[in-house]
RNA sequence: GCGCGCGUAGCUCAGCGGUAGAGCACUACCUUGACAUGGUAGGGGUCACAGGUUCGAUCCCUGUCGCGCGCACCA
């Protein structure tokens, strides 16, 4: 016996365990050897993270696809795993050390620190996996991987070495985005442009020839002036032409720097003269690069590039003594003050400008000249662009392809080295002279070094680790066992679909494309489904600081995983953010209850599954009708999931279950289930059980827990079922739609609805039973007799009789062209009834007029397609007929008055 | 500056060349034998605005206004 209400919390854990024990999510199950493979790799969450709403959406959608395909008989692999998330994880552990007032990572040293991170991983690493299970994610957990486990590390090593040997990874000295808080280089993608209020300082640099005259430059970062190598002006700028080639004095540093001509300065902007600090500004670096062979740069220290800030945030020896070792903002203050004292500050403007910030540290990024490792992304991007152009990989929705192309076609070298400890250490060793040996192991590097130097030399390994996204880029093949030739790799690569958020198209999708194509010679996935962000109900991004974060686990506790999943699916329309309100989750929790109660109804009425029940054998009109409706629903849901229209799939299932099955089939089946006709009763029980089974299958990808539970409980002859719904066969129905059944049930529905409506309008109390008189032909009479009991119950009728004309003073309804009369003279106000009918007539007139207008339009008649023309004509006929019937009814009413 | 998207019922959103839909909220009524986490009925929309294409535009095109996002630049 089912409980009255569905209690998700009592069932979900048990069901999930049952799936795992049955190996329901295992790929390569023996019975599916011949089945077509279907694979998805999970976007690996941070191993020490916890489930947020974005994960909930992302994994719900994947789970829908995976469960759907599993039921369709495919050999499904949903490959799970977690990411080591270099910067994020290292930051968390460092914060912990600080909170516990323990020594910092530099004091404790690399090995001890890494030990701590591994401990933290061991401690918190299972959290997110368990949370995914609570959501119902049907991953093959046997195959769970971690980006820093042994196998994946081997893949990283091999990729790095091979790309290096192919010249696609190289070390280069160029400007990087330096994060002064985390003390590491980061990639362009990790830089966020933030609009801030700031100031623009205008400084006067005295001319060397004539110190009473000045050249004015402007800057937003005064402290960088100490590293200036030149002042640039536009070659056509008449104001400065005479100064080109002359020297100016760099104040405070007391160096002479040249005035050079370059296209870069915009004469319209500021003073038109730009200070060139090549080691601290990307544009200035370009200017320097163009002029690097000129004497005036060559003579300068360090090839003309003066680095002010070392990784320890100290200023180096090129910096005047009094500013050394200062924090950059402190240096800024002092330099401005000192220049002011010298009378060299021309003006200070208040401005709003965009300043680069580190996405993790949230501090201002410093362009900084260092040696880093780069991937030649431009070369790798070419086949990755081609693969999407040729349709080997498809983006859904398609418009994301443009974003992908824009970025890929302008791709910059990818800086992959990070000055962190947590991650894959770069497999590069240096000899005493700085010569680099990139190799799969230290031994291999030593051997190479010996060959090079002719003797054993002490080698030191590169301290840096790789960008986290480097290992993520290999995920679709590294998780399948690459570089080994595993059966899984052969079977499941390329994967079928990738489901991810638009925010990591560049970080992840693009890079998987590049690496997959390079190393596997095939795209990593055929479809990329890009979903939107989950926002709060007002449309704001969820963030801890705003306090508007919704916790998926709390929602699961409160409403059940199925309700949350269904909500996310129902709202996942392509190309639109999800604004999530708890009222929606509550609504779909109610839906779960509704399904539960429909099953309870079936149970109470002895609707048990009949083995071998053939839906085509149904004789009863009602059963034929619901079977046809089921077929329609199956078709809609199937097509929608196939095309990644999750919201349409969820909507179709919802409407079918609630508005069709519960609202009408259940109600109309009651007389059959309690009636005397044994054959009809048995068929209805079997049909109800059959349709309920189909419902539970259709909903399973969306609501796996409740459906699995109902499947289990509602076995044949009431026995608990041994098989798992997760492995059951997806509904396949055909040839069940029946026009005659549709028409009869449609009439019943229309009649009941019309009577209910008029009862309300006439203020007839719900408990009052009223008589109905049908003025109808033989066919309708037969129908009415067949549906007598249901009609009486659902429309609250005392009796149904038949007559040739309506009794005097009755309320007259037009249902499918025939009059249904409610003899209510004395009960209802006849004047009100007259008004009601007059309104009906007016409505008909409006309809007729609208159609007439169209039909009078020659162009319409000449150009509209045949079927539209027919439709309109039919509408006119219908409205006309309706109108005349109602007019007759009005006459009769008047006659009665 | 370049690109993408969005303005549809009070709210959150579907839809999309052929008479506007859902959920929530609202109003009224109903404890009828699956379900009050329910049922029944109802109110509520010049589909942002202006042009154009079309027999016909909420839907396609152009522009305007408003909002959001991404990328690039800013001495």
């Amino acid at each position: 016996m089912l409980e009255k209400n569905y209690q998700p919390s009592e069932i979900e854990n048990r069901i999930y365990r049952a799936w795992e024990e049955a190996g329901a999510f295992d790929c390569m199950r023996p019975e599916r050897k011949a089945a077509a493979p279907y694979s998805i790799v999970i976007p690996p969450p941070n191993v020490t993270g916890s489930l947020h709403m974005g994960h909930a959406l992302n994994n719900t959608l994947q789970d829908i696809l995976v469960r759907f395909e599993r039921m369709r008989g495919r050999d499904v692999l949903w490959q799970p795993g977690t990411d080591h998330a270099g910067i994020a994880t290292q930051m968390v552990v460092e914060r912990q050390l600080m909170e516990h007032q323990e020594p910092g990572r530099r004091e404790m040293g690399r090995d001890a620190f890494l030990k701590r991170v591994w401990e933290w991983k061991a401690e918190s690493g299972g959290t997110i996996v368990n949370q995914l299970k609570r959501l119902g994610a049907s991953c093959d957990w046997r195959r769970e991987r971690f980006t820093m486990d042994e196998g994946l590390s081997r893949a990283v090593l091999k990729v790095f070495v091979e790309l290096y040997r192919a010249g696609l990874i190289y070390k280069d000295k160029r400007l990087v985005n330096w994060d002064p808080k985390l003390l590491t280089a980061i990639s362009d993608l990790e830089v966020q442009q933030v609009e801030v209020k700031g100031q623009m300082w205008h400084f006067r640099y005295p001319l060397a020839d004539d110190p009473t005259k000045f050249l004015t430059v402007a800057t937003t970062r005064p402290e960088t002036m100490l590293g200036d190598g030149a002042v640039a002006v536009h070659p056509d700028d008449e104001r400065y032409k005479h100064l080109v080639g002359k020297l100016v004095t760099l104040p405070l540093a007391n160096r002479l720097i040249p005035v050079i001509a370059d296209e870069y300065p915009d004469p319209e902007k500021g003073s038109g003269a730009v200070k060139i600090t090549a080691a601290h500004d990307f544009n200035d670096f370009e200017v320097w690069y163009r002029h690097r062979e000129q004497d005036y740069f060559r003579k300068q220290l360090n090839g003309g590039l003066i680095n002010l800030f070392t990784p320890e945030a100290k200023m180096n020896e090129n910096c005047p003594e009094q500013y050394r070792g200062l924090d950059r903002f402190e240096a800024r203050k002092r330099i401005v003050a000192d220049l002011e004292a010298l009378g060299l500050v021309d003006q200070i403007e208040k401005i709003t400008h965009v300043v680069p910030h580190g996405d993790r540290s949230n501090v201002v990024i410093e362009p900084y000249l260092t040696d880093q490792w780069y991937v030649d992304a431009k070369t790798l991007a070419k086949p990755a662009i081609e693969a999407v152009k040729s349709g080997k990989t498809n983006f859904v929705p398609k418009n994301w392809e443009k974003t992908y192309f824009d970025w890929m076609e302008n791709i910059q070298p990818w800086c992959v080295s990070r000055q962190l400890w947590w991650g894959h250490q770069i497999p590069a060793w240096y000899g005493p002279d700085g010569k680099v040996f990139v190799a799969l192991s230290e031994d291999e590097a030593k051997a190479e070094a010996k060959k090079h130097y002719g003797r054993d030399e002490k080698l030191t390994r590169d301290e840096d680790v790789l960008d986290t996204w480097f290992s993520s880029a290999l995920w679709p093949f590294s998780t399948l066992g690459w570089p080994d030739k595993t059966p899984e790799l052969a079977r499941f690569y390329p994967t079928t679909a990738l489901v991810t958020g638009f925010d990591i198209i560049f970080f992840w999708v693009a890079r998987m494309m590049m690496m997959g194509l390079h190393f596997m010679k095939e795209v990593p996935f055929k479809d990329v489904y890009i979903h939107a962000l989950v926002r709060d109900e007002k449309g704001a991004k969820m963030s801890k600081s705003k306090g508007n974060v919704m916790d998926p686990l709390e929602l699961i506790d409160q409403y059940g995983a199925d309700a949350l999943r269904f909500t996310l699916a129902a709202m996942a329309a392509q190309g639109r953010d999800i604004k999530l309100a708890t009222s929606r989750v509550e609504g779909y929790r109610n839906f779960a209850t509704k399904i539960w109660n429909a099953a309870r109804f079936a149970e109470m009425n002895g609707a048990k599954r009949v083995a071998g029940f053939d839906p085509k054998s149904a004789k009863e009109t009602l059963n034929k009708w619901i079977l046809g409706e089921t077929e329609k629903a199956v078709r809609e849901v199937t097509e929608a999931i196939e095309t990644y229209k999750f919201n349409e799939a969820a909507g179709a299932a919802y409407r079918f279950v609630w508005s069709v099955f519960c609202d009408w089939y259940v109600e109309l089946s009651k007389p059959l289930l309690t009636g005397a006709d044994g054959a009809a009763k048995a068929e209805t029980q079997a049909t109800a059980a059959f349709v309920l089974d189909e419902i539970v299958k259709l909903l399973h990808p969306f609501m796996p827990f409740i459906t699995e539970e109902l499947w289990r409980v509602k076995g044949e002859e009431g026995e608990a079922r041994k098989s798992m719904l997760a492995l059951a066969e997806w509904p396949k129905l055909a040839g069940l739609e029946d026009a005659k059944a549709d028409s009869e049930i449609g009439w019943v529905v229309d009649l009941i609805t019309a009577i209910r409506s008029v009862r309300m309008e006439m203020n007839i109390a719900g408990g009052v039973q009223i008589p109905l008189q049908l003025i109808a032909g033989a066919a309708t009479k037969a129908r009415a007799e067949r549906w007598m009991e249901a009609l009486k119950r659902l429309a609250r009728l005392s009796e149904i009789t038949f007559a040739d004309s309506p009794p005097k003073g009755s309320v007259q309804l037009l249902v499918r062209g025939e009059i249904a009369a409610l003899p209510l003279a004395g009960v209802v106000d006849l004047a009100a009834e007259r008004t009601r009918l007059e309104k009906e007539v007016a409505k008909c007139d409006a309809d007729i007029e609208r159609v007439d207008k169209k039909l009078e339009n020659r162009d319409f008649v000449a150009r509209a397609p045949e079927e539209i023309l027919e439709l309109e004509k039919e509408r006119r006929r219908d409205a006309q007929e309706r109108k005349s019937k109602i007019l007759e009814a009005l006459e009769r009413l008047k006659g009665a008055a």
Side-chain angles (χ1 to χ4, degrees), chain A residues 401-536:
Chain A
E401 284 180 6
K402 192 168 172 49
T403 308
Y404 173 84
F405 290 138
D406 283 353
W407 190 69
M408 287 293 250
E409 279 160 6
N410 298 296
I411 199 161
Q412 298 299 307
W414 173 17
C415 176
V416 290
S417 44
R418 296 288 180 277
Q419 286 66 54
L420 307 171
W421 289 348
W422 176 241
H424 301 278
Q425 195 171 354
I426 291 174
W429 284 262
Y430 300 97
D433 57 354
K435 163 122 184 107
V436 63
F437 301 93
V438 170
L440 290 168
S441 67
E442 184 160 11
D443 288 345
E444 199 181 301
K446 275 183 181 158
E448 275 189 34
K450 189 169 184 179
K451 218 191 300 171
H452 176 75
Y453 294 115
R455 59 193 152 81
D456 286 320
E457 285 285 0
K458 190 173 157 28
L459 299 181
T460 48
R461 184 163 184 181
D462 197 309
E463 295 266 302
D464 293 351
V465 300
L466 287 164
D467 182 3
T468 300
W469 296 103
F470 190 89
S471 50
S472 310
L474 319 180
W475 192 247
F477 52 94
S478 65
T479 52
L480 296 175
W482 189 91
D484 297 337
K485 289 198 169 86
T486 61
E488 290 85 354
L489 189 63
R491 188 157 179 75
F492 294 112
Y493 192 97
T495 66
T496 321
L498 180 81
V499 177
T500 192
F502 63 84
D503 47 332
I504 53 176
I505 291 178
F506 305 148
F507 277 112
W508 195 44
V509 180
R511 285 157 178 176
M512 283 190 286
M513 288 293 289
M514 294 193 270
M515 293 298 195
L517 280 159
H518 187 80
F519 286 95
M520 299 297 297
K521 309 294 173 216
E522 261 188 288
V523 294
F525 23 72
K526 289 171 197 140
D527 288 341
V528 183
Y529 178 81
I530 301 288
H531 63 247
L533 236 53
V534 185
R535 299 170 175 278
D536 75 2

Side-chain angles (χ1 to χ4, degrees), chain A residues 8-20:
Chain A
S9 55
E10 288 172 16
I11 283 162
E12 289 177 358
N13 287 331
R14 169 165 57 75
I15 297 274
Y16 202 93
R17 245 180 290 123
W19 284 327
E20 289 201 293

Side-chain angles (χ1 to χ4, degrees), chain A residues 291-453:
Chain A
H291 297 262
R292 68 192 181 284
E293 296 302 325
Q294 304 289 329
D295 280 348
Y296 46 77
F297 272 149
R298 285 222 305 251
K299 271 185 231 154
Q300 282 182 20
L301 295 168
N302 200 12
L305 304 177
I306 298 177
N307 254 334
L308 295 167
F309 311 102
T310 67
E312 282 72 37
K314 309 265 192 283
M315 294 185 178
N316 70 10
E317 69 276 10
N318 295 318
C319 172
E321 206 163 330
Q322 69 269 33
Y323 305 115
R324 280 189 208 162
L326 294 178
D327 167 79
R328 54 193 168 143
F329 297 112
E330 179 60 25
R332 176 178 300 181
K333 253 192 242 164
R334 294 206 196 167
I335 283 163
V336 171
D338 292 348
L339 286 170
E340 237 159 11
L342 293 170
L344 296 176
V345 177
D346 183 70
Q347 57 160 316
I348 302 174
E349 265 179 277
K350 292 225 185 296
I351 56 161
T352 326
H353 59 153
V354 180
V355 179
H357 284 66
D359 65 351
R360 291 284 172 186
S361 64
N362 212 23
V363 298
V364 176
I365 290 303
E366 201 67 39
Y368 179 58
L369 189 72
T370 54
D371 289 309
Q372 302 287 344
W373 291 94
Y374 292 89
V375 169
D376 177 359
K378 204 175 166 134
T379 303
L380 292 173
K382 277 185 194 132
I385 293 168
E386 195 40 48
V388 174
K389 287 224 158 108
S390 66
K392 284 186 185 123
T393 293
N394 300 296
F395 277 78
V396 181
K398 201 151 189 77
N399 52 308
W400 288 109
E401 284 180 6
K402 192 168 172 49
T403 308
Y404 173 84
F405 290 138
D406 283 353
W407 190 69
M408 287 293 250
E409 279 160 6
N410 298 296
I411 199 161
Q412 298 299 307
W414 173 17
C415 176
V416 290
S417 44
R418 296 288 180 277
Q419 286 66 54
L420 307 171
W421 289 348
W422 176 241
H424 301 278
Q425 195 171 354
I426 291 174
W429 284 262
Y430 300 97
D433 57 354
K435 163 122 184 107
V436 63
F437 301 93
V438 170
L440 290 168
S441 67
E442 184 160 11
D443 288 345
E444 199 181 301
K446 275 183 181 158
E448 275 189 34
K450 189 169 184 179
K451 218 191 300 171
H452 176 75
Y453 294 115

Side-chain angles (χ1 to χ4, degrees), chain A residues 728-743:
Chain A
E729 199 185 335
W730 186 254
K732 224 188 274 167
L733 300 177
L736 295 175
E737 289 179 71
D738 184 317
K740 266 176 75 183
D742 274 1
S743 147

